[in-house]
Amino acid sequence: MAFLSAPFFCFFPVTALVYFLLPRRAKNLWLLLASWFFYLCAKPIYLTLLLAVIVTSYAAGRILAKGRGKGALIACLTLDVVLLFLFKYVNFALALTGRALNGLGFDFSAPVLHIILPVGISFYLFQAMGYVIDVYRGRVEAERDFLLYALFLSFFPQVVSGPIGRAEELLPQFRAEHPFDWDRFRTGLVRFLWGAFQKLVLADRLAVLVNTVYAAPETFGALQLAGAAVAFSFQIYCDFSAYTDMALGVAHSMGFTLRENFSAPYFARSIADFWRRWHMSLTSWFRDYLYIPLGGSRKGTARKFLNVLIVFAVSGLWHGAAMTFVVWGV
């Protein structure tokens, strides 16, 4: 269910109204059911995978809370990575294997598996992995309430395209009371409208220009090509920033605060500063759960640069299953 769609404009007012009218102990159950309905609208089978991730990561957290070593951590992370690989990267891996074998002189035709990529899988898998790692590190306590944990991974404003949440920030909010607050509701809706403006008026209009030039670049001059490239940089920003603003606006109107994802990235003063401002929930995830565990900058300059390259190569691959994304990341 897209934010800018008639079904959502029916879904959200009903969800918010019932949420504010229900007694406190029923609010989270209603929000979870509404979130699952929201996700079901994409494709019913997708919910099966989301539920599997919820159950396995919840169980891993409970096992880790009992001090039974890191076996549960390794098993849960392995399962999550395998799921991501099977649904997002298996065809890419088969194609690379086929090219390598053909280059060695073997006649191999890589099969193409018709696998549908579940909506939001990259986001909620990363959120689940972050939770399990935080429990293992002792940064957060394992959540006992299964309903609360399921809501943490399923919360409808962020389940499809983030921002990638952290347990230490979201779980306490689901335990808190959120009475109706007109000022908060209004500011949330204003932010949603700003996101809608970015998408419909800016991103979609820029897309017309960009698609026209990119469809037949040989028919345009250097100035037009350069202009289209600049327009594309603003198109992708407005597109993604718009979704984030709508997600944060919807959550804010109901009393919840999600992570910010952008902080004026094109006003950055360096490349490093740019990546601290762009898709911040993802870049901070890679920093905390990949870059620092690899050694960060603590093991010398050469190792620091290697770690940066690894993180950005993985980040590129996260954005798309193709060598172009890996090369872009590196």
Side-chain angles (χ1 to χ4, degrees), residues 9 48 116 134 175 182 200 223 231 263 289 292 304 310-311:
F9 292 141
T48 305
I116 299 175
D134 283 344
R175 295 191 186 94
W182 167 247
L200 297 175
L223 185 60
S263 178
Y289 302 116
I292 291 176
K304 171 187 174 181
I310 292 172
V311 167

Side-chain angles (χ1 to χ4, degrees), residues 27-41:
K27 286 179 181 288
N28 285 332
L29 176 59
W30 166 253
L31 207 52
L32 177 61
L33 293 176
S35 296
W36 282 351
F37 174 78
F38 176 87
Y39 197 70
L40 272 170
C41 289

Side-chain angles (χ1 to χ4, degrees), residues 12-23 27 30:
F12 176 65
V14 172
T15 300
L17 177 63
V18 175
Y19 176 79
F20 287 123
L21 291 177
L22 283 173
K27 286 179 181 288
W30 166 253

Side-chain angles (χ1 to χ4, degrees), residues 45-167:
I45 192 65
Y46 292 166
L47 185 60
T48 305
L49 182 62
L50 175 60
L51 291 174
V53 174
I54 290 170
V55 170
T56 53
S57 54
Y58 171 81
R62 297 299 304 137
I63 293 170
L64 288 169
K66 296 178 181 179
R68 297 183 182 177
K70 60 181 180 181
L73 172 70
I74 295 172
C76 184
L77 294 181
T78 301
L79 175 63
D80 290 342
V81 171
V82 168
L83 287 174
L84 191 59
F85 174 80
L86 288 176
F87 283 98
K88 191 170 182 177
Y89 300 108
V90 66
N91 282 321
F92 173 59
L94 288 171
L96 284 182
T97 302
R99 291 177 190 173
L101 290 175
N102 290 328
L104 293 172
F106 295 96
D107 185 15
F108 177 78
S109 179
V112 178
L113 305 180
H114 298 286
I115 300 174
I116 299 175
L117 181 65
V119 174
I121 184 173
S122 300
F123 293 92
Y124 64 73
L125 278 176
F126 270 38
Q127 192 157 311
M129 286 190 281
Y131 163 78
V132 175
I133 294 171
D134 283 344
V135 171
Y136 174 73
R137 291 174 174 173
R139 289 189 60 183
V140 298
E141 293 185 5
E143 180 55 53
R144 294 175 176 272
D145 190 329
F146 179 78
L147 186 151
L148 225 62
Y149 180 74
L151 181 56
F152 163 68
L153 284 190
S154 309
F155 190 38
F156 74 88
Q158 67 174 56
V159 68
V160 173
S161 294
I164 302 170
R166 303 289 181 94

